[in-house]
Amino acid sequence: MTTPVRALPREKISRPPLSEAEACTLVIFGATGDLTRRKLIPALYELQCLGGMSIRCEIIGTGRTPLTDEQFRGRLRETLAESKDAIDMNDPRWRGFEQRLHYITGDPNDAEFYPRLAADLDARRRAGGNANRLFYIATPSALARPIIEGLGAAGLAKNDAGWARIVIEKPFGRDLKSGQELNRVVSDVFAEEAIFRIDHYLGKETVQNVLVFRFGNSMLEPVWNRNYIDYVEITAAESLGVESRAAFYEQTGALRDMVTNHLLQLLTLIAMEPPVSLDADALRDQKVQLLSAMHPMTVDEVKQRTVLGQYGVGTVAGKPVPGYRDEPGVNAHSDTETYAAIDFRIDNWRWEGVPFFVRTGKRLSSQRSEVVVRFKRTPQALFSRAPEKDVEPNQITLRIQPDEGISIAFAAKRPGDELRSIGVEADFSYAESFDGKLPSAYATLLLDVMQGDSTRFTRSDEVDAEWRIITPIEEALAQLPATEFPNYAAGSDGPAEANALVGRCGHHWRPIAPPRDGTQK
């Protein structure tokens, strides 16, 4: 048990203003979908309010549903008015923003749609619009190929009057083969520097802070290795279910949706070697090198080091919720996993023998994304009469969301006559240290794309390296007896087998829902 100790700065630090990106025309494929309504449009509006997006930017939504510009805007207003961060539709900034929202009806599988789109973009440019073009694929991944090929055939990937860039949402394929094929297709049409494979986790301020924390503090590097670190735990827990994404989730599952990209990316930032600089390729070179040191698992290793789960009925935040198979749009006999826990190992000099426990799941006890670095115990308990197991080792916790920040657990003297220790926790909180709300991940990444900065995006060989780890796991699981689902109740911390996974190494998961007294174990 540790006691929190918090030291606040004398005054909060203000966030510097964003630099305005060059104006462009943004074309969103899948503009009537969930991602556009919930994430992209709010992020673009946020960018405008923060001064990052030029008021000359135009946004063109495309989709199969026939809509006028005003009908498209009306649908967005309905969604945004009901969101948890509701936008004031009477704000002059919103009224100006929505006038730059347009819509073109078109089927991404229809080859004749792309010449119409090209003609529309050219007409807008001749009328004084922007020459720069940004294409965002916010559709199911199966439509990525026809969209890319359609843009190439219509000459939209080349732009003599400005730049042309494309954003592709994860997952990048379904496995190694399809991922490589998608990379081949997009590389045949766009130059690599114009391709932005987006993983919104990399846009989170607290994820980027991992780099500063690791490489900006000289006291960490000497102990950031197998000699001092016992294990690393990476968690991305959600209390929500599949919501309106059942069709997507049934085809994807937790492994492809979260582990292949979000969690492996977090793992690389924690474990990679120091880059020679902070430019895009130097960072990505080190991430690829780290992923290459994670050898594909055998069937027996997958059996021992992987746990899958699917939530059943339960209670979340005091309210009863259905099981996954009872969700609208889900197969009543679905074997899609909503939880995955994996014991990853890195076969290199720095990390040999250190488990990297990764877990993610839906309908868990609370929302929490974090990295926990657990250090080895001191050789003997000099300052305690209690058994050694009662003396907590040092621990660093990097909180990604919510309550973004960093805490460090260490030993201090317990008040009293005797020289005895007690565990305390020094805590840094973004909310208490910095003024203003953190920019959303999508706002940060969209600004990067408009500025042509690919540092927070995934390179093609990174995608290959991730699939070389995950595809053998998927193939091995197909050979092993299927797990009997559901195997954890909604509102719990996941299946009991996940506890056994870390327990075999003598470790335990940190509870997902924080204890009511505010302390952490």
Side-chain angles (χ1 to χ4, degrees):
M1 188 78 71
T2 58
T3 302
V5 177
R6 181 162 294 177
L8 299 179
R10 290 188 178 90
E11 60 183 43
K12 287 190 176 183
I13 301 170
S14 297
R15 176 183 52 78
L18 298 181
S19 55
E20 182 177 291
E22 195 175 356
C24 67
T25 298
L26 168 59
V27 179
I28 302 176
F29 293 91
T32 60
D34 188 62
L35 176 63
T36 301
R37 296 194 311 268
R38 291 191 309 108
K39 298 293 185 181
L40 299 185
I41 296 300
L44 289 165
Y45 179 58
E46 179 185 1
L47 265 186
Q48 175 182 284
C49 294
L50 293 175
M53 187 174 72
S54 168
I55 59 172
R56 295 184 61 245
C57 281
E58 299 287 326
I59 301 161
I60 301 174
T62 76
R64 295 189 181 101
T65 305
L67 295 173
T68 64
D69 287 359
E70 187 51 43
Q71 287 171 330
F72 177 52
R73 295 165 186 166
R75 284 191 170 199
L76 292 173
R77 283 195 294 266
E78 291 176 6
T79 301
L80 297 174
E82 297 171 357
S83 68
K84 64 177 182 179
D85 297 317
I87 292 173
D88 179 5
M89 301 301 168
N90 295 316
D91 190 320
R93 294 176 299 179
W94 170 258
R95 292 202 299 269
F97 175 79
E98 73 169 357
Q99 292 307 307
R100 306 202 308 278
L101 296 172
H102 310 283
Y103 187 85
I104 300 176
T105 303
D107 185 340
N109 283 311
D110 181 5
E112 296 181 359
F113 165 62
Y114 298 94
R116 286 197 293 113
L117 176 62
D120 182 272
L121 292 174
D122 193 47
R124 291 177 187 275
R125 183 183 63 80
R126 290 197 305 270
N130 303 299
N132 298 320
R133 298 166 183 168
L134 173 57
F135 303 101
Y136 199 116
I137 301 179
T139 65
S141 57
L143 292 175
R145 179 168 185 165
I147 291 172
I148 294 165
E149 291 177 337
L151 291 172
L156 289 169
K158 310 297 181 185
N159 187 2
D160 294 335
W163 48 257
R165 296 170 186 154
I166 188 166
V167 181
I168 305 174
E169 275 281 343
K170 60 89 180 170
F172 313 111
R174 285 186 52 81
D175 51 24
L176 177 60
K177 183 178 179 180
S178 61
Q180 290 176 327
E181 179 63 14
L182 179 59
N183 275 328
R184 184 194 65 77
V185 169
V186 72
S187 297
D188 285 347
V189 177
F190 288 86
E192 178 63 31
E193 61 267 20
I195 303 168
F196 292 78
R197 301 169 187 85
I198 191 168
D199 179 346
H200 76 268
Y201 254 53
L202 295 182
K204 293 181 181 295
E205 186 80 17
T206 42
V207 171
Q208 291 303 302
N209 190 46
V210 173
L211 285 173
V212 176
F213 182 73
R214 272 205 63 192
F215 302 124
N217 295 293
S218 60
M219 66 180 179
L220 294 178
E221 182 58 26
V223 297
W224 210 256
N225 56 58
R226 58 187 167 86
N227 296 320
Y228 295 93
I229 292 177
D230 198 2
Y231 65 95
V232 177
E233 177 188 316
I234 303 175
T235 296
E238 298 178 86
S239 57
L240 295 175
V242 292
E243 305 302 300
S244 59
R245 302 171 69 230
F248 163 80
Y249 208 81
E250 276 285 86
Q251 298 297 316
T252 309
L255 268 176
R256 291 188 179 96
D257 184 40
M258 293 292 290
V259 180
T260 306
N261 32 75
H262 296 340
L263 298 187
L264 281 181
Q265 286 291 322
L266 273 175
L267 189 153
T268 59
L269 294 176
I270 289 294
M272 71 184 195
E273 295 299 315
V276 295
S277 70
L278 291 179
D279 68 41
D281 280 333
L283 282 170
R284 294 187 290 191
D285 285 346
Q286 291 302 328
K287 290 197 284 183
V288 171
Q289 183 177 347
L290 189 282
L291 292 168
S292 299
M294 298 172 65
H295 296 153
M297 292 188 200
T298 66
V299 175
D300 284 343
E301 286 173 331
V302 170
K303 183 179 180 180
Q304 294 296 317
R305 290 162 45 191
T306 301
V307 172
L308 300 184
Q310 185 189 92
Y311 65 84
V313 296
T315 302
V316 176
K319 298 179 180 179
V321 295
Y324 176 72
R325 292 176 176 177
D326 300 319
E327 300 276 15
V330 172
N331 187 317
H333 304 285
S334 175
D335 285 330
T336 300
E337 79 281 359
T338 63
Y339 178 99
I342 304 175
D343 173 2
F344 283 120
R345 301 299 172 105
I346 301 170
D347 300 322
N348 65 11
W349 184 270
R350 183 185 292 264
W351 297 113
E352 180 65 33
V354 178
F356 281 73
F357 298 118
V358 166
R359 62 175 169 172
T360 183
K362 289 189 173 295
R363 284 292 189 216
L364 296 176
S365 54
S366 69
Q367 179 186 8
R368 175 183 286 189
S369 294
E370 66 182 15
V371 178
V372 176
V373 180
R374 188 86 161 181
F375 287 82
K376 294 181 178 180
R377 296 181 184 276
T378 53
Q380 55 181 324
L382 289 175
F383 306 110
S384 176
R385 295 179 179 178
E388 183 184 354
K389 65 182 180 63
D390 291 335
V391 180
E392 288 294 314
N394 300 135
Q395 177 174 292
I396 295 174
T397 303
L398 298 101
R399 302 188 301 276
I400 309 300
Q401 65 176 13
D403 185 28
E404 295 88 348
I406 301 172
S407 62
I408 302 177
F410 59 95
K413 182 186 177 299
R414 182 189 296 271
D417 295 338
E418 297 183 16
L419 196 62
R420 298 181 60 188
S421 68
I422 183 174
V424 296
E425 188 175 272
D427 186 78
F428 155 72
S429 166
Y430 264 82
E432 295 178 353
S433 298
F434 299 110
D435 267 332
K437 182 181 177 182
L438 294 176
S440 69
Y442 272 103
T444 298
L445 293 174
L446 283 165
L447 181 61
D448 283 350
V449 178
M450 293 175 186
Q451 294 176 332
D453 184 353
S454 58
T455 304
R456 288 185 265 228
F457 295 82
T458 310
R459 203 168 60 190
S460 60
D461 54 347
E462 244 180 295
V463 174
D464 282 358
E466 290 171 341
W467 280 124
R468 289 184 191 280
I469 296 167
I470 299 299
T471 297
I473 295 175
E474 295 274 8
E475 292 173 346
L477 290 168
Q479 299 178 44
L480 294 169
T483 305
E484 187 175 341
F485 290 153
N487 61 350
Y488 72 95
S492 69
D493 276 10
E497 291 82 358
N499 295 325
L501 175 74
V502 298
R504 282 194 291 269
C505 301
H507 307 311
H508 61 272
W509 293 109
R510 176 170 145 106
I512 292 174
R516 292 183 180 180
D517 62 1
T519 61
Q520 297 290 351
K521 291 185 177 181

